[in-house]
Amino acid sequence: MSKLKKSVILNNGVKLKNSVVMAPMTTWSSNDDYTVSDEELIYYKYRNSGAGMIITGCTHIQENGIGFTNEFAAYNDTFIPGLKKLATVIKENGAKAILQINHAGNKALPNLINGEVMSSSSVETVATDFAPALTPKELSEKEIEVIIRDFGETTRRAIEAGFDGVEIHGAHGFLLQNFVSPFFNKRKDQWGGTLEKRLTFPIAVVTEIKRVINQYAQKEFILGYRISPDEPMEGALRIKDTFSLIDKLIELNVSYIHASLPDALQSKAVDATNEKTYLDELSQYINKRVLFVAAGTIQTPEQAELVIENGALPAIGHAFITDPLWMQKAGNGESENIYLTIKKDSVEELKLPKKLWSAIQNSGSWFTIE
Ligand SMILES: Cc1cc2nc3c(=O)[nH]c(=O)nc-3n(C[C@H](O)[C@H](O)[C@H](O)COP(=O)(O)O)c2cc1C
């Protein structure tokens, strides 16, 4: 049997029906009031019979934590009915539904928030395709406490909506990473300074979410944490810092750690001095202490199997957009029939929300369009 089809049991006893994960992918397609749209439901419905675990695109836990235009929200209870529809659609064919929860920190979109962009410290950001360079305001201790509570509140909503778990978005330079990074976190209080103190915020978020799970979940609930292992700038986050974060997350008994990598089978740490890839480094460091998931340019079933051989479950992004039947074809040994490009005349058939299709078309070489 293909390794991809093998079921997986998490440390809390929850079973994934196979070893493939659908990576979190924003669709830029919520309704204008930030509720989940019908287009999004159709997009997920068409992709719900493949991966054993499907992670949604990120949702913001506070109104001012939005990172993408038309990012569906979960920051108050009015969003629960839409979230419920989303969880129901994802679970329809046995996949576990995971809500990715986020505060965009210094990458929040200034024109979509009330007030100032906030981060661990007031350090100028680096411009990206999605966010301009800006100097955020440093969060007060009180504001930090409120954000921690709001991560918990969003988890309560995920439970009420019927999700099987949440994934904390600790990657891609958003708020959690703003705290772990020595480049962005220049605080001198209990939330910054030494590496230990820079880990205080993610630890507090995980601890609060666990408290909420204990209080509200009627059955075992999955808690994942996504990381970016390092940052390219001088004096910024390095993989050895991430190893310390990983130790803390394992102590806190999270269900899985999910590394977002540029290319899971090839890319190496910023300060690599040997031939080891991120995947080798992280998988050896984790050493099966917790389930490890890795994403990054995993496109073919053969690549996904290699990732499993290297100690991680493969999380697949692009290829589930370009071919919703990826898993079925992989499972039947039909690799050659998997579509890895988007044919312009197949957009309707792929059930891509209009705004996602527009983002894809405007993204340069991000996707291959034929
Ligand atoms: C359209 C799109 C939207 C994405 N949105 C998110 C997101 O909301 N949260 C996140 O952690 N990663 C996001 N990512 C990154 C993916 O989860 C994944 O790590 C990345 O695309 C690499 O995997 P791939 O090469 O298989 O696509 C997004 C990627 C794509 C293509």
Side-chain angles (χ1 to χ4, degrees):
M1 183 176 74
S2 152
K3 288 189 181 66
L4 306 178
K5 286 171 132 178
K6 206 166 158 260
S7 60
V8 178
I9 312 272
L10 303 182
N11 55 7
N12 61 3
V14 174
K15 184 176 174 184
L16 310 182
K17 67 175 179 179
N18 62 43
S19 298
V20 173
V21 175
M22 178 163 150
M25 287 184 286
T26 296
T27 63
W28 292 272
S29 296
S30 73
N31 295 316
D32 286 338
D33 61 3
Y34 298 112
T35 52
V36 173
S37 67
D38 289 345
E39 274 189 312
E40 291 181 296
L41 294 174
I42 293 167
Y43 162 88
Y44 279 104
K45 190 179 176 70
Y46 199 49
R47 288 167 176 77
N48 72 5
S49 55
M53 182 160 84
I54 295 180
I55 307 166
T56 68
C58 61
T59 185
H60 38 302
I61 58 108
Q62 276 194 345
E63 197 168 3
N64 283 352
I66 186 165
F68 300 95
T69 53
N70 287 96
E71 171 183 311
F72 73 81
Y75 60 79
N76 72 39
D77 286 4
T78 62
F79 295 109
I80 294 176
L83 295 171
K84 202 175 259 179
K85 287 188 204 159
L86 181 57
T88 306
V89 159
I90 293 177
K91 293 191 301 186
E92 236 166 36
N93 282 309
K96 295 297 175 198
I98 308 295
L99 183 70
Q100 191 188 52
I101 58 178
N102 191 32
H103 187 299
N106 66 15
K107 287 180 157 181
L109 299 176
N111 54 339
L112 292 184
I113 65 173
N114 299 313
E116 288 179 80
V117 171
M118 310 286 257
S119 183
S120 52
S121 301
S122 190
V123 174
E124 194 185 358
T125 63
V126 183
T128 68
D129 289 347
F130 302 109
L134 50 79
T135 305
K137 187 170 160 295
E138 178 169 307
L139 285 162
S140 69
E141 294 226 32
K142 176 78 198 131
E143 287 162 338
I144 292 174
E145 300 289 351
V146 174
I147 291 177
I148 293 167
R149 192 202 63 202
D150 287 346
F151 268 102
E153 279 288 280
T154 301
T155 302
R156 174 183 59 73
R157 289 179 203 113
I159 293 168
E160 279 182 39
F163 279 92
D164 297 297
V166 292
E167 177 176 282
I168 301 169
H169 198 343
H172 301 173
F174 294 124
L175 187 64
L176 270 292
Q177 197 179 322
N178 294 168
F179 273 87
V180 181
S181 164
F183 185 91
F184 289 113
N185 186 346
K186 302 290 183 194
R187 300 180 75 97
K188 301 274 183 291
D189 58 8
Q190 58 157 321
W191 307 102
T194 59
L195 170 61
E196 204 181 335
K197 288 185 176 170
R198 285 187 274 117
L199 298 182
T200 313
F201 181 67
I203 291 171
V205 170
V206 173
T207 306
E208 172 63 5
I209 290 178
K210 285 187 61 171
R211 187 191 67 72
V212 168
I213 293 172
N214 283 337
Q215 185 174 346
Y216 294 101
Q218 309 280 340
K219 56 180 175 104
E220 293 302 332
F221 193 75
I222 299 169
L223 170 54
Y225 192 106
R226 194 167 216 215
I227 55 168
S228 289
D230 55 18
E231 294 169 339
M233 304 82 81
E234 196 66 36
L237 184 68
R238 291 292 177 264
I239 199 164
K240 65 172 177 18
D241 303 323
T242 296
F243 288 159
S244 299
L245 173 62
I246 287 171
D247 287 338
K248 294 286 179 199
L249 295 173
I250 292 172
E251 267 172 43
L252 289 162
N253 202 25
V254 298
S255 320
Y256 68 87
I257 293 175
H258 180 182
S260 175
L261 308 172
D263 184 326
L265 290 168
Q266 295 198 31
S267 40
K268 294 194 279 184
V270 168
D271 59 359
T273 52
N274 57 34
E275 286 311 302
K276 282 190 190 174
T277 60
Y278 280 118
L279 183 60
D280 296 332
E281 294 272 12
L282 291 164
S283 162
Q284 284 166 22
Y285 190 79
I286 292 173
N287 194 20
K288 299 193 168 67
R289 286 179 293 161
V290 67
L291 181 69
F292 177 37
V293 178
T297 326
I298 306 168
Q299 298 188 316
T300 66
E302 295 72 24
Q303 289 168 333
E305 296 214 359
L306 271 177
V307 170
I308 295 179
E309 281 165 28
N310 282 286
L313 295 193
I316 292 170
H318 274 69
F320 271 121
I321 289 190
T322 57
D323 197 336
L325 298 179
W326 190 97
M327 183 67 202
Q328 287 82 338
K329 293 178 184 173
N332 294 337
E334 296 171 21
S335 296
E336 70 287 357
N337 294 334
I338 290 176
Y339 298 114
L340 295 173
T341 60
I342 300 183
K343 293 200 175 54
K344 278 196 181 125
D345 59 8
S346 69
V347 172
E348 210 157 297
E349 197 187 311
L350 288 174
K351 313 279 187 238
L352 298 182
K354 282 189 276 311
K355 287 181 178 141
L356 173 58
W357 173 228
S358 219
I360 290 173
Q361 284 175 298
N362 294 330
S363 66
S365 58
W366 210 25
F367 282 80
T368 308
I369 302 172
E370 290 181 286

